[in-house]
Amino acid sequence: MEKKNKMQDQLPVIELKHVDKHYGQLHVLKDINLTVRRGEVVVIIGPSGSGKSTLCRTINRLETIDSGEILITGEPLPKEGKDLARLRARVGMVFQSFNLFAHKTILDNVTLGPTDVLRVPKAKAREEAMQLLKRVGVDSQAAKLPAKLSGGQQQRVAIARSLAMHPEAILFDEPTSALDPEMIGEVLEVMTELAQEGMTMVMVTHEMNFARRVADRVIFMDAGSIIEENSPDEFFDHPATQRAKDFLNSIKDH
Amino acid sequence: MGVEELLSQFGGKYAQAFRMTWRLTILAFSIALVLGVAVTVLRVSPIKPLRLFGDIYVQIFRNIPGASLLIILVYAFPYLNLVWSYFTCVLIAAGLIPSAFCSEYLMSGINTIPIGQIEAARSIGMTFTQMITKVVIPQALRASVLPLTNLLVSTMLTTAIASQVPLNPQELTGLVAYINTHAVGGVTAFFISAALYCASAVVIGRIGSLIDRKVRIRR
């Protein structure tokens, strides 16, 4: 409760107002309203095809929207060009498939954004990148190409790459879904640490225990709409809607 | 005339022609690479007229014979008050045509890059130019080493169009024509040139696969 109250005073980092999106006939996002405040960890869950990944990707405009408004620290997200690039640099993104730059070493993957986008001097960028790689536990792999690393290691590098940009928030789009079970833990551990350090995070995940542990707020989506929005304990123990109950039951079986 | 007699009489000229062929090849291929990359960038740019221009460029130069292009440059362009040396005309013709193929190979190289890497580049705030120069083109080039090696060989063969104009000194194919108008070289004169083309192609091929092994990205 204490943390929650504190959060109410924090400034919103991400705001979505009446966001709508269609894929042809399909209405994938329906009047989405969402505010994420500084330091908050918001977990989006829902059945596949519910629009949760799309929602996550609209926040840095990897997906365009049809109508509505998206604000990053109060600034409207530009449609294209250098302004959009500038704003994107302030919101990190971690993908399901890691998406490291295959032709660059682990270290260069992390320094590329700082040196080329933020114009940080090379030596300083390398130094900081090594610290970040150490923090996520892959500093010994710095000189290798991504293909030489395990999925779990690659995903941790991807997190370091995001952190190197000093983002206002990081979006995680099913960060553990492509991982072998034994590697999920190491990635979730890094994410838990980030959450504890006060990083603003929005994540789409199927890891319910993890969600319960780290989330400040759970968003439940179905068929393009936000159906429920609650604290993790409330949501998981007393889901308010039938759809959420059905969803939670369906995953309990596993 | 036998090989020995031909070589004793025209050996110096063959050496000169061989150098000329290589000189044309390297310069034309450099033009092809630079233009090929530039046109490819246009073809993937977010601006539609540029994409269209790039596509039209490739369609034009992929689909005209080098010899025709050379003849246009040498005999038609002077009417537009554009008069270039024979050497320059050969270079332009032998560079523009492979540049279209170069772009095609790079486009298929680009298709090997997972879309997620483009999204990752965007998500760290890279501009289109940064994404192209740091992520897209380097990977497209690495993926295209073998086709580009073939392109280098075919560029060398394309430089034979220089035999259509009085280049001085001549390259390998032009030299054959020269020998056969000054002596009875017959088919042997062709064989010597052909052997030099073949030897060059083998060397190019070996170097190409060495480079490929070194830079290809294993995913």
Side-chain angles (χ1 to χ4, degrees):
Chain A
M1 266 300 128
E2 211 174 281
K3 191 179 179 191
K4 200 175 174 187
N5 286 339
K6 208 169 67 195
M7 234 154 241
Q8 301 281 302
D9 312 332
Q10 291 290 343
L11 286 175
V13 178
I14 298 165
E15 289 166 279
L16 284 83
K17 295 178 180 169
H18 305 293
V19 169
D20 270 279
K21 180 181 175 66
H22 296 77
Y23 283 130
Q25 292 292 309
L26 198 65
H27 201 168
V28 285
L29 293 178
K30 296 175 189 163
D31 191 29
I32 300 290
N33 292 282
L34 176 67
T35 301
V36 181
R37 293 177 188 280
R38 190 169 303 285
E40 209 178 2
V41 177
V42 174
V43 169
I44 307 172
I45 62 176
S48 64
S50 58
K52 54 195 193 308
S53 268
T54 308
L55 172 59
C56 189
R57 290 161 55 84
T58 56
I59 296 174
N60 67 353
R61 213 180 161 79
L62 288 179
E63 301 278 354
T64 56
I65 56 173
D66 298 337
S67 60
E69 205 181 4
I70 298 176
L71 307 167
I72 305 295
T73 58
E75 250 186 280
L77 198 60
K79 285 213 161 40
E80 55 197 28
K82 288 209 159 70
D83 292 336
L84 176 59
R86 189 177 52 77
L87 218 65
R88 268 182 181 148
R90 293 165 51 195
V91 181
M93 178 118 193
V94 174
F95 302 84
Q96 182 176 347
S97 48
F98 332 132
N99 298 339
L100 296 180
F101 305 124
H103 63 305
K104 294 212 169 278
T105 64
I106 295 308
L107 182 62
D108 289 345
N109 262 278
V110 181
T111 56
L112 186 62
T115 56
D116 285 56
V117 176
L118 302 178
R119 306 277 170 213
V120 174
K122 259 208 169 83
K124 192 171 171 241
R126 290 173 77 91
E127 192 184 322
E128 198 185 355
M130 281 312 292
Q131 282 169 6
L132 286 170
L133 288 173
K134 196 165 188 172
R135 183 165 152 199
V136 299
V138 282
D139 49 321
S140 61
Q141 317 287 324
K144 292 185 183 163
L145 289 175
K148 300 273 182 207
L149 272 61
S150 73
Q153 289 173 323
Q154 289 192 48
Q155 193 62 300
R156 284 183 279 153
V157 174
I159 293 173
R161 176 173 67 181
S162 278
L163 288 173
M165 300 298 291
H166 300 287
E168 307 273 358
I170 303 185
L171 312 171
F172 294 83
D173 186 7
E174 301 199 25
T176 56
S177 299
L179 292 174
D180 291 334
E182 74 268 26
M183 291 167 186
I184 292 177
E186 63 192 49
V187 172
L188 293 183
E189 201 178 311
V190 170
M191 290 168 64
T192 307
E193 276 170 31
L194 280 183
Q196 285 164 351
E197 286 162 20
M199 176 59 75
T200 310
M201 296 158 83
V202 174
M203 51 182 122
V204 175
T205 185
H206 296 292
E207 301 293 328
M208 296 303 154
N209 290 330
F210 170 71
R212 190 170 191 142
R213 207 155 21 92
V214 304
D216 296 306
R217 191 148 47 107
V218 172
I219 306 279
F220 175 70
M221 283 185 77
D222 192 23
S225 302
I226 293 179
I227 307 288
E228 275 189 51
E229 188 170 351
N230 218 331
S231 73
D233 287 339
E234 273 299 307
F235 174 76
F236 286 109
D237 295 337
H238 311 287
T241 60
Q242 193 55 42
R243 277 194 270 186
K245 282 176 195 159
D246 290 346
F247 174 72
L248 289 174
N249 277 329
S250 73
I251 53 172
K252 224 181 268 171
D253 297 338
H254 299 299
Chain B
M1 279 171 114
V3 174
E4 277 166 47
E5 201 185 344
L6 265 177
L7 283 181
S8 70
Q9 201 175 333
F10 295 106
K13 284 219 178 285
Y14 268 112
Q16 237 179 3
F18 188 55
R19 278 200 298 275
M20 188 56 155
T21 290
W22 268 97
R23 198 170 149 214
L24 285 170
T25 303
I26 288 167
L27 290 174
F29 188 67
S30 308
I31 293 172
L33 266 187
V34 170
L35 287 179
V37 170
V39 169
T40 306
V41 171
L42 296 184
R43 292 173 81 191
V44 296
S45 84
I47 301 159
K48 200 171 176 202
L50 294 183
R51 288 203 299 271
L52 197 65
F53 174 85
D55 289 341
I56 292 171
Y57 176 97
V58 169
Q59 287 307 327
I60 289 175
F61 292 111
R62 196 176 57 173
N63 296 317
I64 38 173
S68 308
L69 182 54
L70 179 61
I71 286 165
I72 291 168
L73 290 171
V74 172
Y75 298 108
F77 271 45
Y79 290 104
L80 305 171
N81 283 326
L82 290 169
V83 185
W84 296 311
S85 72
Y86 292 122
F87 183 83
T88 308
C89 290
V90 171
L91 261 192
I92 294 173
L96 287 183
I97 285 166
S99 75
F101 288 95
C102 177
S103 174
E104 288 291 81
Y105 298 146
L106 290 176
M107 287 299 275
S108 64
I110 287 176
N111 287 332
T112 67
I113 306 171
I115 181 80
Q117 280 188 49
I118 308 301
E119 292 182 345
R122 286 201 183 131
S123 76
I124 57 172
M126 291 181 116
T127 60
F128 173 77
T129 314
Q130 289 170 329
M131 196 166 76
I132 288 294
T133 55
K134 299 289 172 149
V135 177
V136 176
I137 293 296
Q139 291 197 60
L141 282 172
R142 282 157 186 259
S144 318
V145 172
L146 291 182
L148 289 177
T149 306
N150 291 334
L151 187 65
L152 177 52
V153 172
S154 86
T155 303
M156 180 176 70
L157 302 183
T158 302
T159 62
I161 57 174
S163 63
Q164 304 302 305
V165 295
L167 197 61
N168 184 31
Q170 302 217 279
E171 45 63 62
L172 285 171
T173 302
L175 179 63
V176 175
Y178 170 87
I179 291 174
N180 280 330
T181 54
H182 289 77
V184 190
V187 79
T188 317
F190 273 108
F191 276 137
I192 296 172
S193 283
L196 290 169
Y197 279 124
C198 276
S200 307
V202 168
V203 171
I204 291 170
R206 286 300 281 275
I207 295 173
S209 43
L210 282 178
I211 296 175
D212 177 60
R213 220 171 300 162
K214 221 178 147 64
V215 304
R216 174 138 38 128
I217 297 158
R218 282 167 189 79
R219 295 183 197 280

